[in-house]
Amino acid sequence: DVINIGRQVLGNLFSEYRDQFTACYNRKDTTGMREWSTRMDNLLLDVDHLLSCDATLSIGKWLQDARNCGATVSEKDYYEENARCILTVWGQQDTQLNDYANRGWGGLTRSFYRERWKRFTDGVIAAVSEDKPFDEDKFHQDITQFEYNWTLQKDSFPIVSEEDPIQIADSLILKYDTYFTKAQ
């Protein structure tokens, strides 16, 4: 319960951070954009840290189960690639059902969703800094290539961090106390 409530609260906070990033973008305030981008990035790492405390919320468990379906290395690789695709691009590169079965899981949040957000905010900040429009087509090509490459990776993820989610939640409450105090 602590993990589920924590990820929802932090998800709500992420929405506010994204809105602040957008407000800075509308003002062409690159300093503010960098600040909110960094906050978004750190928050996604914190969400991943919390999620990683439970095997049922772990990309590591999902991928291990997929690999266990195969008898040979090539079968194991095949099942892992499919397991990665199901959660992210759903099919082949640049499909219409992107994020169809997305999950907020430890490892996945850090390695996939955080990276997508980072590439987006970095691209937007660069465009504003150079006084150019954000190149959505280039971004789309870049991000779909990243997503596809992610499904082909074979990096492993731990099943569970074995950390105490209550201790992590307590530290996150202290870290984000300003937000929680302001929200009351």
Side-chain angles (χ1 to χ4, degrees):
D1 289 346
V2 167
I3 296 170
N4 279 325
I5 291 169
R7 74 175 167 173
Q8 183 60 56
V9 169
L10 294 175
N12 292 347
L13 182 55
F14 184 85
S15 295
E16 292 198 20
Y17 283 12
R18 182 205 58 224
D19 291 349
Q20 291 296 328
F21 177 86
T22 303
C24 291
Y25 168 78
N26 289 333
R27 292 190 307 271
K28 307 298 184 219
D29 173 7
T30 56
T31 301
M33 291 169 65
R34 284 186 188 92
E35 175 188 335
W36 289 105
S37 173
T38 299
R39 287 185 187 197
M40 291 164 61
D41 189 59
N42 290 330
L43 183 61
L44 289 170
L45 288 172
D46 288 337
V47 169
D48 190 84
H49 189 194
L50 184 61
L51 292 169
S52 295
C53 293
D54 188 336
T56 61
L57 301 171
S58 168
I59 187 73
K61 172 82 168 99
W62 174 259
L63 296 178
Q64 180 185 55
D65 289 348
R67 291 191 70 79
N68 287 343
C69 292
T72 66
V73 172
S74 64
E75 284 180 0
K76 291 176 183 296
D77 290 348
Y78 171 80
Y79 286 121
E80 179 178 350
E81 183 181 336
N82 278 331
R84 287 171 174 264
C85 284
I86 287 169
L87 297 180
T88 57
V89 298
W90 191 254
Q92 296 303 311
Q93 187 174 357
D94 200 14
T95 60
Q96 295 288 328
L97 292 174
N98 198 349
D99 285 338
Y100 178 74
N102 68 330
R103 300 284 188 275
W105 283 351
L108 181 64
T109 299
R110 175 185 38 81
S111 68
F112 187 78
Y113 295 113
R114 173 181 171 244
E115 181 63 26
R116 288 193 332 183
W117 273 106
K118 185 150 184 43
R119 287 173 184 239
F120 173 74
T121 57
D122 287 352
V124 170
I125 292 167
V128 171
S129 296
E130 296 167 10
D131 198 27
K132 295 180 179 176
F134 179 65
D135 189 340
E136 291 181 42
D137 290 335
K138 182 182 178 316
F139 174 74
H140 177 79
Q141 291 171 4
D142 178 50
I143 207 68
T144 55
Q145 187 64 52
F146 159 75
E147 292 169 342
Y148 180 67
N149 290 343
W150 188 91
T151 67
L152 301 176
Q153 292 176 6
K154 298 294 180 266
D155 51 333
S156 62
F157 296 90
I159 302 301
V160 65
S161 70
E162 299 186 17
E163 294 181 85
D164 181 354
I166 293 173
Q167 288 179 346
I168 292 172
D170 284 344
S171 70
L172 294 175
I173 288 169
L174 292 174
K175 182 175 183 177
Y176 296 103
D177 183 57
T178 303
Y179 163 75
F180 297 125
T181 304
K182 201 169 43 171
Q184 294 176 348

